Amino acid sequence: MSLEVDFKKAADDVRKLKSKPADDEMSEVYSLYKQSVVGDVNKADPGAADELAKNKWDAWNKKKIGMSKDDAMKAYIVKSKEMAAKYGVDS
């Protein structure tokens, strides 16, 4: 399979996890997804008023230095497989 096909399957599996992962795992997978699809963070820092948005932005912003879209996709696939093994995936 191609990288993009593997990535799309991994994204689908993450949406079907049987239980909710820890916040740090969700931040990591979110940041890898955004880096894969969008590239470097392209939004302003939302500030501390919205803690969830701030945490997601911070996680994504850490990926911008030196992580290509392809590298982010590969890392996302690995992380999604770890999460699927840990939490299970609904069919």
Side-chain angles (χ1 to χ4, degrees):
M1 281 198 254
S2 75
L3 181 59
E4 288 186 16
V5 170
D6 289 345
F7 175 75
K8 287 179 183 178
K9 182 188 180 323
D12 190 46
D13 286 348
V14 167
R15 285 190 278 287
K16 296 179 183 178
L17 293 174
K18 289 184 177 183
S19 58
K20 185 180 184 299
D23 289 344
D24 62 325
E25 290 173 305
M26 288 305 295
S27 290
E28 178 66 11
V29 78
Y30 169 84
S31 66
L32 290 168
Y33 182 86
K34 292 297 278 189
Q35 190 70 21
S36 297
V37 174
V38 178
D40 290 345
V41 67
N42 60 357
K43 297 179 180 182
D45 184 335
D50 184 344
E51 187 176 345
L52 178 59
K54 174 68 173 159
N55 289 341
K56 289 166 74 173
W57 187 91
D58 285 343
W60 182 14
N61 191 47
K62 289 177 186 173
K63 303 293 183 224
K64 78 178 184 182
I65 300 175
M67 183 170 272
S68 70
K69 287 184 177 187
D70 283 355
D71 287 344
M73 279 187 192
K74 291 172 188 172
Y76 182 90
I77 292 165
V78 168
K79 183 66 178 174
S80 73
K81 287 180 181 179
E82 290 171 6
M83 292 170 70
K86 185 174 180 180
Y87 297 104
V89 176
D90 287 328
S91 346

